[in-house]
Structures are given as C-alpha cells and as structure tokens.
Amino acid sequence: MNDQIDLASRAKGFSFYLWEMQLAIRQYISTSAGFRCVAASLEIFSCYFGINSMSYTTIRRWLLYYGYYLLLHEQPKRDGDWVFINDFSIKLGKEKCFLILGASLQQMRKTGFNLTHKNVSVLDIVVTSQSNSKLVRERLELVSSRVGEPVQIVGDGGSDIKKGNCLFCQDHPGVVYTYDISHKIGCLLKALLEGDRLWQSLLVDINVTLQKVQQTELSFLRPILPRKKSRYLNISILIHWLANIFSYQDKKDFSLIGNGYVIHPESIYRLTDSIHDEQIQASLLTMIKQVFVCEDALIDKLSSILGEKAEKEQIMIIDMSKQRFLEKFGLFEQYRDFMIDLTEAIALINRIQRLVKNKGLSELTIKTIKSEVEKQDLKGEKTVTIYRQIMAYLKEELSKLGNSAEAYLACSDVEESLFGKYKYKLAERMGGIYETLFILPVFCSDLNPQEIKFACEKYNMKTIKNAFLEMTGQSIQSKRRKAFSNGYLSN
C-alpha cells in the first residue's frame, strides 16, 4: 500500500481530516488518556488551533476499525524467521483471551531482544471459555498457514500453553518451544520461598503492619504490596521496601515521624531529689508531660529552669518518634540477615534477566553470565541455589536450540506488557471482554494514515460487533442490558 497520502484529505464518508484522525489515535495509544479524556483535550485544542472537536465514541470507532484492519492485514510470509509469543490472559467472567504475537528473529539479532510493542505484530486474537491445549495448537496452525512456519515459540509453563506448543512442535520438527525466563524464575522463587518459615512469617508481619500504620503518622513508611497474581515475579517490591526500612532505621533520624522528644521521668525525679528549691522542683515536674520538637529545645528548657547549662549525658532523653517507629517496625529486625540474602538473590536474578532479555539466549550469553558471577563471591544460601537453578534452566533451553551460537528469544514480557496496557486503558466497569479487544493491534502499529483511511472506509461497527459476536457469543454487557431492559437499571 502506498504510504504517500495527503493528510489534509478525508476518508470517504467522514468529515474529519486524516491528520485529525491520526492525532486522536496517536494521543490515545501514546498517553494514559482514555477515550473521553482524548476527546476532551481535543475539544480544548479546538479553541486555539484549527482542529475539529470529536466525541469519544467517534475516536473509539476509528481505533476499532484500524485495529480490526491490522488484525486481518496480510503479514509477510517468513518461514523460519517468525518467533511466536503466545499466552492466555485477561480472564474476566468465564472467558479468556488467547493472543499470538509475532516478531522477526533476524531483526532481533540486529537490534536486540528487548522487544517493545512496536517490534511485534498481533497475529491472532481469540476469546474462549475453554482454555486448552487443543485451542493453542489449532490457532498456531492457523497462524502458521497464514504467515509462515515459525522458528521458535516462546510462552510460559502453564499446562495449556506448554502442551499446545509442544504438540505443535511435534508436528513441526523445525520449531522449538522456549519456556519464558520471567515465568520460570517466578516458579523457581515460589518453590524456594513458599515453604520457607521466615518468608511466610515476613509476609504475615508485613500485612499486619500495613493495617496498623496506613492511617497513622507512619503511613509514609507503609509497605506497598505487590499484586496477588504473579506474586513471585514481583517480590523485589517487598525486598526493596524492607531494605529501605532498615536504611531509614540505621540513619537514626526519625524526625519525619514528628512525635518529638521528652525527658525520662526518672531523670526528673533524680534532679528534684538533688535540688531543695521547691519552685525549681515544681518547674522540673512540669517537664514530665512536655514534648519538644528537638533535643536542643529540651536542653535549653531544662537549663533555664536549673539556671545552668544542662548536659545531655546527665539525663535520659526519649525520642518519641524513634520509639513509635520501633513499636511498629522493630519486629522486622529479625529478618535483617534474611533480607540480605534475598537482596543478593534478587540483584543476581535482575542481572541475569537483563543479559538474557537484551542479548537473547545463546552460548555467548551463558558464558557472559558465568564470567560476571565468577567475579563476585555469592554468599547467601538462597542466592547460590537460585543461581544454579537458573543456569540449569538456561542450559536446558539452549540444548533444545542445538547449543546454537546464534541468539534466540527467551522472554515474553512484551505480551504481558501489551495485556497490561490494554487492561489499564480499558478497565470495564461491568467486567467481561468486549470488542475493544480489537484495539490491541493498534498499540503495535506505526499509525499509517493510508491504512487508517482504508480501514475506516472498509469497516463499520456492525462488522466489528458481528466479528466479536462470532468469536464470543453474547457479551456480559448485552446480557445485562437485555435482563434489565424493562427494569429500574435499564440504562
């Protein structure tokens, strides 16, 4: 398709210029703005620039037309170059979405393996209530017949995905299934920590502490819990928080808590016993309940009563902020050594993942990992264990590839990222999966204006709704509308 097109022209049947359509679509996919927000911002722009305002439903339609076009658009047939990345995700209600992405292996070897949305193409989307290996195999066959046989499939170790990918590879001996490194490490961490008494105790203490401090003056120190799903892929959140708590404690500056300083009653009573002036004794006794913003203010007050300079060494000063901190967070001291081991393990995991994700899986990558690790002395028991397990996994996956000197993809993070962006942008109030799923391919596109024009001229909402209905049957929202058609909640 010729990319040369006049952006000041219009798609047939549309009143907006192509540049306006492209701008609205780009603003949607490149920012955190939703449909309504994009429409509102363009309405503001229309007051200052030569741009027409548009409704959010109009923008939504353009995205659906363009996404559906991209999904059906014929991809170049590249046998032996495609790498497929597949997974089930977006489970809402009883339905799941199965997605297959495609990327060029040759291109990855030139530019790197840390894929962005723009480096992949959406090759297949299907919504199903039956997530099984048969479906995985059938969709892989369908996509392969359309775009060419892949050289590699990357996915997680879920039973449906793994079995479906392996069945496909049995029928296509030239294709290798690689277990995604992120999910594998998550499983290794789960096996390492799930039965660990200290880890389970730490999780309980973190949850209890969160409940106790989240509505107090200590809330700025509260833990931020990772999401429940894929918890072991995100434990670094907890480890970093715990390290920060220890760092804050070791600095011994608790002024941010702001509870101030008091003099210990025992010090007051000792001073009153040594002084026979009743007026001074009465003034000293009033200090028992007084709170001071800093130690110097307390010393100055005491000196003014005594009529001479008071020495800090002669009295006991209570830091109420420190006391308050230790009251809520002191229990974590028992995990300090445990945290050091986990911090070392997480740092090692991050280095290995960074190398594999950027350079791909190859003999050279494994040698580089060994070389880097040998330069340091791994001390933690868990660090040593997880290192050995990760290296065994990498060698096993590499052996499937014939111990090739050439690099291959070993990470499906781009698919998780794409699903994550969709969920963030299109969180549905009612739950369920909707035709907005067809927008997924737009996140991976270059926003070709000629293709936008062609898509908007070719498709309409009836086409989109019928295509989605054929895939899924009746949606949750349509069932709700029908159920409440004559009732109070009809709208």
Side-chain angles (χ1 to χ4, degrees):
M1 184 177 291
N2 185 7
D3 291 337
Q4 299 299 319
I5 186 172
D6 182 9
L7 290 175
S9 63
R10 296 183 176 92
K12 186 178 180 181
F14 289 80
S15 59
F16 295 94
Y17 295 111
L18 280 179
W19 69 266
E20 292 175 314
M21 301 172 79
Q22 187 184 40
L23 174 62
I25 294 173
R26 184 176 299 280
Q27 188 174 353
Y28 178 82
I29 68 169
S30 302
T31 70
S32 60
F35 296 122
R36 286 178 171 83
C37 185
V38 172
S41 66
L42 292 177
E43 184 173 3
I44 294 172
F45 292 157
S46 69
C47 300
Y48 302 93
F49 307 103
I51 182 172
N52 293 305
S53 60
M54 57 199 73
S55 71
Y56 77 91
T57 55
T58 298
I59 298 169
R60 181 177 181 271
R61 284 199 298 270
W62 294 343
L63 278 150
L64 286 171
Y65 299 158
Y66 187 36
Y68 188 64
Y69 163 81
L70 292 171
L71 182 63
L72 301 183
H73 183 58
E74 185 176 350
Q75 296 284 349
K77 203 152 190 177
R78 299 197 299 259
D79 286 299
D81 182 43
W82 280 111
V83 174
F84 290 171
I85 307 164
N86 60 9
D87 194 12
F88 283 103
S89 193
I90 314 181
K91 184 175 182 180
L92 294 168
K94 68 175 184 177
E95 297 169 327
K96 270 188 173 183
C97 171
F98 179 63
L99 179 67
I100 300 178
L101 302 181
S104 166
L105 182 59
Q106 296 304 318
Q107 189 62 35
M108 283 187 276
R109 287 172 176 169
K110 291 178 183 177
T111 61
F113 289 79
N114 196 4
L115 299 175
T116 68
H117 297 164
K118 297 292 191 251
N119 300 133
V120 297
S121 301
V122 176
L123 302 179
D124 190 40
I125 300 173
V126 63
V127 177
T128 176
S129 57
Q130 299 294 324
S131 55
N132 53 50
S133 58
K134 180 182 177 183
L135 174 72
V136 174
R137 182 183 186 180
E138 288 176 350
R139 302 310 295 190
L140 286 171
E141 290 286 359
L142 180 66
V143 173
S144 294
S145 66
R146 185 159 50 88
V147 304
E149 183 178 282
V151 66
Q152 182 189 21
I153 303 172
V154 180
D156 63 30
S159 57
D160 297 333
I161 291 288
K162 182 178 180 179
K163 185 176 179 181
N165 287 341
C166 288
L167 288 172
F168 179 83
C169 291
Q170 287 176 11
D171 297 334
H172 302 265
V175 185
V176 176
Y177 161 57
T178 300
Y179 190 172
D180 163 57
I181 186 171
S182 296
H183 286 88
K184 178 62 178 180
I185 288 176
C187 290
L188 292 177
L189 282 171
K190 181 178 181 180
L192 187 68
L193 295 174
E194 201 168 40
D196 189 286
R197 179 188 60 80
L198 269 180
W199 174 251
Q200 296 303 323
S201 175
L202 174 61
L203 292 180
V204 171
D205 286 342
I206 285 175
N207 276 282
V208 171
T209 300
L210 175 60
Q211 297 300 317
K212 287 183 177 180
V213 306
Q214 62 183 349
Q215 293 184 359
T216 72
E217 78 280 14
L218 298 167
S219 63
F220 69 97
L221 295 171
R222 72 190 185 281
I224 299 175
L225 300 181
R227 61 186 182 182
K228 292 182 179 180
K229 187 178 179 182
S230 305
R231 176 184 299 174
Y232 289 93
L233 295 177
N234 299 277
I235 67 168
S236 59
I237 295 173
L238 293 181
I239 303 306
H240 291 158
W241 171 81
L242 194 56
N244 285 331
I245 285 293
F246 289 139
S247 176
Y248 181 75
Q249 181 177 346
D250 294 342
K251 285 189 295 186
K252 300 180 180 179
D253 178 6
F254 303 94
S255 58
L256 290 173
I257 298 174
N259 287 338
Y261 296 81
V262 298
I263 188 168
H264 197 287
E266 184 178 326
S267 294
I268 295 291
Y269 297 140
R270 189 176 66 249
L271 286 170
T272 56
D273 288 343
S274 65
I275 296 172
H276 302 292
D277 187 314
E278 293 184 359
Q279 186 175 357
I280 294 178
Q281 288 178 341
S283 298
L284 286 173
L285 290 173
T286 61
M287 287 190 67
I288 290 179
K289 295 183 179 181
Q290 288 184 357
V291 180
F292 298 85
V293 294
C294 63
E295 288 184 335
D296 290 340
L298 186 152
I299 294 297
D300 290 343
K301 176 67 174 178
L302 185 60
S303 298
S304 68
I305 294 173
L306 296 175
E308 60 184 39
K309 179 65 177 176
E311 299 293 336
K312 286 184 182 180
E313 293 75 14
Q314 297 176 351
I315 58 176
M316 288 185 287
I317 298 176
I318 300 173
D319 183 345
M320 295 179 65
S321 297
K322 178 181 178 180
Q323 196 174 53
R324 180 73 167 146
F325 172 85
L326 293 176
E327 177 189 331
K328 299 300 182 184
F329 297 97
L331 77 167
F332 292 107
E333 187 63 32
Q334 63 183 307
Y335 304 109
R336 192 178 282 263
D337 291 339
F338 183 69
M339 184 275 298
I340 292 172
D341 190 1
L342 282 182
T343 300
E344 184 187 32
I346 294 299
L348 175 70
I349 287 170
N350 289 339
R351 283 198 297 275
I352 293 174
Q353 283 187 306
R354 190 159 49 246
L355 280 168
V356 174
K357 289 177 182 180
N358 288 325
K359 297 181 179 297
L361 176 61
S362 67
E363 286 184 349
L364 178 60
T365 302
I366 292 180
K367 288 179 181 178
T368 303
I369 293 171
K370 286 183 178 178
S371 175
E372 286 199 6
V373 172
E374 286 171 0
K375 293 178 183 177
Q376 57 184 344
D377 180 23
L378 300 183
K379 298 178 181 179
E381 178 186 346
K382 287 181 168 51
T383 307
V384 173
T385 300
I386 201 73
Y387 170 67
R388 290 173 178 168
Q389 291 175 337
I390 293 174
M391 293 305 290
Y393 148 76
L394 291 174
K395 290 175 182 176
E396 179 183 356
E397 295 303 321
L398 184 63
S399 67
K400 298 177 187 177
L401 300 165
N403 293 311
S404 172
E406 294 280 4
Y408 287 82
L409 184 66
C411 178
S412 64
D413 282 3
V414 65
E415 184 155 14
E416 294 291 333
S417 171
L418 191 60
F419 273 136
K421 186 169 184 177
Y422 174 85
K423 290 175 183 178
Y424 175 78
K425 298 282 284 187
L426 291 154
E428 295 286 355
R429 181 168 58 93
M430 281 299 301
I433 298 177
Y434 299 84
E435 63 264 14
T436 45
L437 205 62
F438 289 134
I439 291 175
L440 277 170
V442 183
F443 293 137
C444 305
S445 71
D446 292 324
L447 302 187
N448 185 309
Q450 177 76 352
E451 292 179 335
I452 294 173
K453 178 178 184 294
F454 182 82
C456 289
E457 290 178 344
K458 183 173 183 179
Y459 301 115
N460 54 44
M461 282 307 298
K462 184 177 180 179
T463 305
I464 303 298
K465 289 182 180 295
N466 286 342
F468 189 74
L469 190 63
E470 184 178 349
M471 183 192 300
T472 63
Q474 200 169 12
S475 70
I476 290 177
Q477 188 65 43
S478 64
K479 289 179 181 178
R480 180 179 175 82
R481 281 196 298 265
K482 186 173 182 180
F484 295 146
S485 59
N486 297 317
Y488 179 72
L489 298 178
S490 61
N491 59 347

